[in-house]
Amino acid sequence: MSDTNLSRRSALKTIGALAALPLFMQTELFSSQNASKGFTLITNGEVITAAHWGVLKLSIKDGKIVDSKPLSKTSDIKNPLQDYTAELVYAKDRIKYPYVRKSYLQNPDDPKRELRGADEWVRVEYKDAIKLIAKELKKTRKERGADGIFAGSYGWKSSGNVQNSRILLHRFMNLSGGFVGSLGDYSTGASQIIMPHVVGSIEVYEQQTSWPLILEHSDVVVIWGANPIATLRIAWTVSDEQGFKYFEELKKSGKKLIFIDPVKNETCQYLNAQWIAPNPNTDVAMMLGMMYELYKTNSYSKEFLENYTTGFDKFLPYLLGDSDKTPKTPEWAAKICGVDAKTIKTLAHTFYDNKTMIMSGWGMQRAHHGEQPHWALVTLCSMLGQIGTKGGGFGLSYHYSNGGVPTAKAGIVGGISSGTSTGGTGQSWLQKSAQFAFPVARIAEALLNPGKTIDHNGKKITYPDIDFVYWVGGNPFVHHQDTNTLVKAWKKPRTVVVNEIYWTPTARMADIVMPTTTSYERDDISMLGDYSNLGIAPMKQAVKPVGESKDDFEIFTDLAKEFDIEKEYTEGKTALEWIEQFYTAAYEQAKKMQLAELNGVEMKPFKEFWTENKPVYFMPTQESEAYVRFADFIEDPILNPLGTPSGLIEIYSETIEKMKYDDCHAHATWFEPIEWLGMKDKPAQFHMITSHPTDRLHSQLNNVSLRDKYAVAGREPIWINPKDAKAKGIKDGDLVRVFNARGQILAGAVLTDDVKEGVVKLSEGAWYDPANPKEDNTICKNGSANVLTIDIPTSKLANGNISHTLLVNIEVYKEKAPELSIFKHPDLKA
Ligand code: PGD
């Protein structure tokens, strides 16, 4: 029996075991807001729900959540994020009521914007807050038109297909008269623009060659700049958690595992892989060195280049140095990336001589000229000639949302949309808002420079003059680069409204704050597994909302009433009726399929599904277990061309050539980043990596006691190599100041050989906690990485963020350690 069959059997076994879980017992019942709709909240018992971090079983006692556990166990890799639901719901820093900033309430036309983040808060009645938002929104629309209103509102929000805060905001804004939106995202800003030019699809959010094939066919697995053991704790919808199981099997497989990253992270440690540590932001040079070696030793696939790519001949003069007098030899690369030439050569041959799957993360493209690394990787893999084979090639999503887990045949649950199915007054605005949109990570520049025109992927975009900002489900004062510039930019609009669960740094920078429920205080539904569709998870309300918090659907429905568009907004349905509609559509879809196609899984009608309160699990198909990314194209590139102009992999892009950008040429190129270790006259000493955190989802969960397990000196930990630390007189556990020309933060020193000399690592997502909000460039007491990052675009092509390109200095903090304020309530006037 093949490994594939084995792992298919084990997958089916796991899913079978899940399906056989006993029904949860509902005990005491009491009337609640849903009782009138035929459903009830329980005061004692268990509720099954779901979050980005998996399907959860909550224990309820006397109407309160007392325990939270994963519903089932899919591997031995623990996911601690699943244990903190009660703390999330009853957090000290919950926003329980609507609040308005004092100066804004006194005079919304002259709201003393400079006091944002430093003013007092006044509690108001919910209905008054709704009226105030509606009045000021109408005023701005009248004065400035739709382009005066920004609702791009980026963020990871909570899971759930109905309470999708950003979509709900867009739906309201579309129907009520339009808004300025945003393009792209912070995760893959550079790659999602470059990859369509190279391989004809965005690639970063595509299903990967299936894991069973990797386990059966790959000889070498390379993890290049990724940390799946941390990032697979979460998924965009609800994590199916199957990726962990496959990494467990990979660890046991005996395959050669290579890990390329300046930081020896949890994944390298877990897999016990060979660690190769290039300098940050120099992967392109290293890849070029490998390509040079392959070319010079005639160890590359001419057949692949001829049949499946275009432009290698135009790339070659650059590789060989004929066009710029710099041959990209391994020795040349070694000087830049800090990995010796011999290792570069050995790696190149190891990849060529073996069936090699290169799994790359996205951190390398969140860097200056971030368009280049994945383009160079595709060029390298084209030379290796293994793209589209079982177990070979590259994959850009094995570290994200369980990519590579085979897809199930399933009924698919839809979600609420930003338009309406019945049309409605705002439909034309869908077009218009897209017209006004600008790249998401250019928000601070856009606020500060109305009327400025920028290049973007061959087009020109002019920033609108924004005077009203509405943000939901995101935390820009933690996620956006160069916080101190954002603080200045944020003072530009007259009005800022934020719907939030907690007093986050972003909520504190608003004028009007609307208290929002957690997903455990409202009903919702979600698919399980972004790529796998392994199930449908009910997200049943577990407890009553805290304080006067409302779900986003209710807040926007109430706002819609003020604009006489309630009917269009809700389409006459409650949130629960939307859930029923989406589930029933999936049920009907499944009913049309043969039972055999669904591996015998029968969906139940909505009422039964909802009352039983347990997920439906689907089975992966044999076809999906045999899925090979790019296989169709490789089988017949004429019949199955890629979506590029040539239909082939574009090693050289004439489309990009025509753009004539100085910072993104027509083939993968090594560009020096604006700050890096190899630069002359370095403005600071260490390159800081701001990777995704292990024990949070970005900024989510920074306010629960899980933080106590990783905080050092009460702050965000910073990894520093012991040799670097010694030179600076820093000891393990010291409180340190990390600083550069853009700002300063406090952090706790962790001395470890798991970070390359000259490099420090501090994860993004610690809540920005300004020591003195009234002071420019004040120190952040908690250690938010983005106080130090640079807010310039990757290039004119993609305008992605460059959050991994920065140098910092570090020293022992000798003054009295200031107390944190960010996890407490701000000063509130009752
Ligand atoms: P989250 O912490 O998930 O971060 O940035 P993002 O803003 O997505 O923020 C979500 C917020 O939504 C939280 O404050 C949460 O309380 C709130 N929320 C949750 N559910 C609801 C809801 O139902 N309704 C409402 N109204 N609010 C809700 C993440 C972003 O950071 C991303 S995606 C990436 S990839 C970037 N990565 C980096 C990086 O690698 N390095 C740096 N330096 N910076 C980055 N920033 C980016």
Side-chain angles (χ1 to χ4, degrees):
M1 187 180 288
S2 69
D3 288 354
T4 312
N5 283 337
L6 263 178
S7 61
R8 179 180 156 73
R9 268 194 343 170
S10 62
L12 293 182
K13 228 168 95 191
T14 318
I15 292 160
L18 296 175
L21 279 169
L23 281 188
F24 107 85
M25 299 297 295
Q26 291 200 2
T27 47
E28 265 180 74
L29 305 175
F30 77 94
S31 292
S32 78
Q33 55 179 19
N34 274 338
S36 57
K37 300 164 206 151
F39 301 105
T40 46
L41 275 179
I42 61 164
T43 43
N44 290 293
E46 285 174 350
V47 175
I48 309 301
T49 184
H52 292 299
W53 34 90
V55 181
L56 306 175
K57 186 166 73 177
L58 306 182
S59 304
I60 315 290
K61 195 163 181 257
D62 300 330
K64 285 197 131 196
I65 299 167
V66 289
D67 195 26
S68 169
K69 288 278 167 288
L71 177 62
S72 62
K73 195 167 163 258
T74 48
S75 82
D76 287 333
I77 301 173
K78 218 184 135 14
N79 185 353
L81 309 191
Q82 298 172 328
D83 303 345
Y84 292 85
T85 311
E87 284 194 42
L88 282 170
V89 173
Y90 310 116
K92 282 201 293 282
D93 55 352
R94 277 296 296 262
I95 302 172
K96 292 190 184 154
Y97 309 101
Y99 286 91
V100 182
R101 190 166 64 78
K102 192 173 158 195
S103 312
Y104 190 92
L105 196 60
Q106 281 166 349
N107 185 0
D109 292 321
D110 180 17
K112 296 196 182 144
R113 314 161 200 222
E114 68 286 359
L115 286 182
R116 274 190 194 121
D119 212 347
E120 283 171 25
W121 290 99
V122 183
R123 182 175 157 186
V124 296
E125 292 289 322
Y126 173 75
K127 63 177 185 347
D128 295 336
I130 291 285
K131 285 202 184 314
L132 182 63
I133 298 170
K135 183 169 158 240
E136 299 307 322
L137 181 59
K138 283 178 186 167
K139 198 191 287 171
T140 306
R141 277 232 180 82
K142 198 162 166 227
E143 282 169 8
R144 309 229 175 184
D147 45 331
I149 293 145
F150 181 76
S153 183
Y154 177 80
W156 262 72
K157 59 183 181 60
S158 297
S159 306
N161 288 18
V162 173
Q163 298 293 345
N164 187 335
S165 51
R166 187 186 196 215
I167 301 285
L168 290 168
L169 167 66
H170 289 180
R171 188 179 171 88
F172 163 69
M173 285 292 183
N174 271 322
L175 286 167
S176 64
F179 68 101
V180 176
S182 57
L183 302 168
D185 60 37
Y186 279 74
S187 304
T188 62
S191 278
Q192 64 180 257
I193 298 288
I194 187 72
M195 281 295 111
H197 291 290
V198 180
V199 292
S201 66
I202 58 171
E203 216 35 51
V204 284
Y205 302 130
E206 305 287 355
Q207 178 58 297
Q208 309 291 287
T209 295
S210 88
W211 263 111
L213 294 181
I214 301 292
L215 294 170
E216 188 176 348
H217 297 279
S218 306
D219 303 315
V220 177
V221 175
V222 183
I223 318 268
W224 200 323
N227 190 4
I229 295 301
T231 54
L232 289 182
R233 287 180 172 188
I234 54 103
W236 178 249
T237 56
V238 170
S239 176
D240 59 44
E241 301 184 72
Q242 300 287 314
F244 281 153
K245 196 190 70 185
Y246 287 112
F247 272 98
E248 243 172 18
E249 289 185 35
L250 182 67
K251 180 180 172 151
K252 288 186 217 139
S253 69
K255 295 178 193 300
K256 186 165 180 60
L257 306 177
I258 301 173
F259 180 81
I260 308 177
D261 197 306
V263 182
K264 186 178 176 184
N265 62 29
E266 288 83 355
T267 301
C268 184
Q269 294 170 22
Y270 173 76
L271 293 174
N272 205 9
Q274 178 190 357
W275 180 34
I276 313 274
N279 292 327
N281 293 190
T282 65
D283 306 87
V284 173
M286 188 166 158
M287 290 174 197
L288 287 167
M290 292 163 88
M291 288 187 249
Y292 187 96
E293 170 67 13
L294 293 173
Y295 185 78
K296 283 292 178 180
T297 56
N298 205 14
S299 311
Y300 67 103
S301 174
K302 287 170 214 68
E303 195 216 329
F304 190 94
L305 292 174
E306 246 161 59
N307 294 333
Y308 302 110
T309 74
T310 176
F312 186 71
D313 53 333
K314 291 187 172 170
F315 167 69
L316 203 51
Y318 170 73
L319 184 67
L320 301 180
D322 298 341
S323 60
D324 64 352
K325 297 199 180 70
T326 308
K328 312 299 172 302
T329 62
E331 290 72 21
W332 166 86
K335 277 194 200 125
I336 293 169
C337 71
V339 175
D340 62 83
K342 193 166 158 242
T343 305
I344 294 175
K345 289 179 195 176
T346 308
L347 281 176
H349 291 291
T350 305
F351 294 2
Y352 183 69
D353 295 341
N354 296 284
K355 184 55 66 83
T356 302
M357 171 53 81
I358 304 180
M359 301 176 169
S360 169
W362 302 336
M364 65 172 76
Q365 56 87 59
R366 246 175 263 132
H368 199 201
H369 305 291
E371 293 81 0
Q372 306 307 316
H374 285 162
W375 198 356
L377 182 66
V378 174
T379 310
L380 169 65
C381 289
S382 297
M383 291 181 77
L384 299 173
Q386 301 180 20
I387 295 171
T389 63
K390 293 175 185 169
F394 69 94
L396 303 185
S397 211
Y398 285 102
H399 68 295
Y400 172 73
S401 289
N402 301 285
V405 172
T407 308
K409 195 86 175 174
I412 308 286
V413 176
I416 205 144
S417 70
S418 54
T420 65
S421 50
T422 53
T425 53
Q427 282 297 301
S428 61
W429 276 106
L430 285 175
Q431 297 294 326
K432 285 211 178 161
S433 50
Q435 193 179 308
F436 284 126
F438 54 80
V440 67
R442 304 314 308 135
I443 176 70
E445 185 184 54
L447 288 172
L448 287 168
N449 299 282
K452 179 177 172 181
T453 299
I454 60 159
D455 286 294
H456 181 66
N457 198 15
K459 298 199 179 73
K460 300 273 181 198
I461 291 178
T462 301
Y463 293 136
D465 193 357
I466 294 163
D467 209 30
F468 190 111
V469 172
Y470 204 134
W471 214 289
V472 295
N475 204 352
F477 276 88
V478 180
H479 77 223
H480 185 70
Q481 290 57 57
D482 190 356
T483 312
N484 285 317
T485 299
L486 184 66
V487 169
K488 289 190 190 99
W490 210 250
K491 291 186 175 148
K492 167 88 199 351
R494 182 177 66 86
T495 307
V496 179
V497 186
V498 172
N499 293 1
E500 244 301 344
I501 303 167
Y502 310 106
W503 283 106
T504 61
T506 302
R508 287 164 198 252
M509 293 298 282
D511 299 316
I512 305 172
V513 173
M514 299 303 279
T516 311
T517 50
T518 64
S519 59
Y520 316 103
E521 299 158 282
R522 62 196 188 210
D523 292 322
D524 216 325
I525 191 163
S526 176
M527 286 309 287
L528 186 48
D530 297 26
Y531 299 111
S532 65
N533 294 333
L534 275 188
I536 300 174
M539 295 175 60
K540 206 166 171 171
Q541 182 178 350
V543 288
K544 282 196 276 186
V546 165
E548 283 177 15
S549 61
K550 311 259 186 259
D551 57 55
D552 294 284
F553 183 78
E554 191 174 346
I555 294 171
F556 289 118
T557 301
D558 289 333
L559 275 171
K561 285 180 194 158
E562 299 293 317
F563 287 75
D564 290 328
I565 51 166
E566 181 193 358
K567 243 200 190 139
E568 289 89 338
Y569 190 78
T570 63
E571 297 184 31
K573 290 183 277 270
T574 62
L576 190 62
E577 283 161 348
W578 278 104
I579 295 169
E580 179 167 2
Q581 177 184 314
F582 295 136
Y583 178 88
T584 303
Y587 170 76
E588 296 296 339
Q589 190 190 7
K591 250 188 14 191
K592 286 195 194 115
M593 296 178 202
Q594 301 287 335
L595 210 55
E597 257 185 285
L598 283 167
N599 284 309
V601 177
E602 264 183 288
M603 282 178 73
K604 299 193 167 144
F606 179 71
K607 287 210 163 63
E608 267 177 67
F609 161 76
W610 197 251
T611 311
E612 277 189 6
N613 182 220
K614 66 172 194 158
V616 188
Y617 290 102
F618 300 108
M619 308 283 194
T621 62
Q622 260 166 339
E623 247 175 306
S624 70
E625 290 188 340
Y627 176 74
V628 176
R629 179 115 197 99
F630 295 115
D632 292 354
F633 166 65
I634 297 301
E635 195 180 294
D636 193 332
I638 312 273
L639 277 181
N640 307 310
L642 299 179
T644 54
S646 62
L648 300 168
I649 295 174
E650 302 220 342
I651 291 176
Y652 189 97
S653 162
E654 287 177 6
T655 313
I656 296 178
E657 184 190 20
K658 285 191 193 113
M659 295 177 194
K660 294 194 167 61
Y661 291 156
D662 54 355
D663 51 5
C664 185
H665 299 159
H667 55 73
T669 309
W670 157 249
F671 288 96
E672 278 197 42
I674 185 161
E675 288 186 8
W676 70 296
L677 290 174
M679 73 192 290
K680 274 194 213 137
D681 306 323
K682 287 203 291 264
Q685 195 176 348
F686 301 103
H687 196 124
M688 187 161 108
I689 299 283
T690 64
S691 47
H692 286 184
T694 303
D695 288 322
R696 291 192 292 268
L697 164 57
H698 301 300
S699 75
Q700 296 189 49
L701 290 142
N702 195 211
N703 57 337
V704 300
S705 63
L706 183 56
R707 185 178 175 279
D708 301 340
K709 303 211 164 90
Y710 60 83
V712 174
R715 330 282 147 163
E716 188 63 17
I718 185 163
W719 289 15
I720 175 165
N721 186 283
K723 285 194 190 125
D724 291 329
K726 196 172 172 206
K728 294 272 158 199
I730 295 170
K731 292 192 294 304
D732 196 56
D734 272 355
L735 181 64
V736 292
R737 186 173 83 101
V738 191
F739 58 101
N740 59 22
R742 293 167 291 279
Q744 46 176 342
I745 64 171
L746 291 180
V750 176
L751 271 51
T752 169
D753 286 315
D754 292 337
V755 65
K756 187 177 176 158
E757 261 183 87
V759 180
V760 292
K761 186 210 81 165
L762 179 133
S763 294
E764 55 93 23
W767 291 16
Y768 171 60
D769 191 0
N772 178 358
K774 288 188 181 152
E775 189 184 280
D776 278 353
N777 295 359
T778 186
I779 198 162
C780 167
K781 298 183 283 184
N782 187 32
S784 176
N786 280 316
V787 172
L788 304 169
T789 52
I790 307 174
D791 184 15
I792 61 164
T794 48
S795 84
K796 296 184 186 75
L797 189 89
N799 285 293
N801 72 83
I802 69 156
S803 52
H804 292 270
T805 300
L806 67 151
L807 296 178
V808 300
N809 287 315
I810 180 164
E811 66 183 18
V812 176
Y813 188 70
K814 298 215 176 82
E815 288 166 49
K816 190 169 173 266
E819 238 184 81
L820 294 188
S821 343
I822 192 66
F823 302 121
K824 296 178 191 151
H825 264 270
D827 185 12
L828 303 174
K829 287 260 172 293

